[in-house]
Amino acid sequence: MKSCKSWNICNSWNIWNFRNAWNSRKARAGRIGVGGVALGLAAVLTTTGCGLTSDGSPDTGAATGAAPGSAAATPMPSPPQPAATAPTAPATSASAPPSRTGASTLVPGLQAAAERAVGGNAAASLIALDMRNGEIVSTVHRQAGMSGAVAPGSTFKIVTSALLLHRGIVTASTKLPCPKYTTVNGQSIHNVGLMEMPGATFRDDFAHSCNTAFINLRDRIKDDELSAFSTRYFGLNSDAWKVAPGQGSVDGVVPPAHDPNEKAAQMMGQGGLVMNPLTMASVVAAAITGKFRQPVLERGMPVYTRSEALPTNVTRTIRDMMVACATTGSAASVFKGMPGVGAKTGTAEVGDGTNGWMVAFRGNIAVAVYVEGGDSGSGAAGPIVREYLSAVAP
């Protein structure tokens, strides 16, 4: 949910710690360095092609390089139930046989659906992947989608919730009121529209994206705990992802909180957090399946791995809460009449403006859409996500 204008979150966070941390890392071969990240939560890498307009080689027609046997518009089957451990054998990709090393992972039918969904919206970028194996099946405005570095807003509550559930701090049914206001270190914060839900559960707070309820749990976790958890279970903070030869990407950064206000901002997906549609689609996949699988755009790429999996009770609860968001929560109007969808909305403040986010899953597919300047996640990104997921069977 959009946060309080009077607090002006995005102008108050100390972004220098993120920039200095990333500038201290060496750029890898074939990767875009991050020393050019502009200050501010709306910053996008200034390397050519990393803006939110087309990268000069839009993905229209890119799917023609997919391997023989690729699926087209055939609906994709439903995923297996979340498990605490990885399957004993690699899942077969829906897009092409996994033995085709070097083949594109793009699925022609889903790539076409993504291009239709985004249309001429140059401010929007979309990444979708197969949750079973991390293969990227659709990408529009690829450079922005993979190399952007912006605050993810409330979509990141998926990770925050996974931590709170994993620690046993809350369950979905825990009573957790959503007040209009809360105060952090003398600063007043309110929910958009002064929303309040006195009798809310944690599920309600997630589904309706209540910032104040999440912020009021900040003292239950350590300053560096969200950062460490993000690396351990979601593969973030790694600076190690390589999705395809010559394809730049930014893996997502969750720095340790350096003061109470920064921790409060991180609880609702702002502060020093920087993500892009690639990392947020991966976050959805890891949260739903329980296992991080690094996204790839080409088969046979070396990948960064994490061995630990989220417990089944955590993944089932995240799935349930995302379904609640899509059916009764902040994304309900977007997905009315569309079964089998789980979602999370997000709106991040940027100075006097906002960026709109939405992440979702249906069947085996996780998708993330970011709209620069979008007034809200449901309003700006929601219609794009719905149009795209109409090509995916539940």
Side-chain angles (χ1 to χ4, degrees), residues 135-205:
E135 292 186 353
I136 298 166
V137 297
S138 308
T139 167
V140 179
H141 296 161
R142 180 184 301 177
Q143 287 297 102
M146 297 184 185
S147 298
V150 295
S154 289
T155 59
F156 200 76
K157 285 175 182 168
I158 294 171
V159 179
T160 309
S161 297
L163 169 58
L164 295 168
L165 292 164
H166 188 269
R167 281 277 315 280
I169 294 170
V170 294
T171 66
S173 60
T174 296
K175 293 293 184 181
L176 187 63
C178 173
K180 293 180 183 179
Y181 301 91
T182 192
T183 301
V184 179
N185 202 25
Q187 293 177 308
S188 179
I189 311 159
H190 64 73
N191 295 312
V192 65
L194 297 182
M195 178 183 69
E196 65 175 340
M197 297 182 292
T201 63
F202 183 64
R203 179 189 288 106
D204 297 329
D205 295 324

Side-chain angles (χ1 to χ4, degrees), residues 48-76:
T48 301
C50 291
L52 287 177
T53 57
S54 174
D55 58 10
S57 55
D59 296 297
T60 303
T64 57
S70 295
T74 303
M76 305 191 71

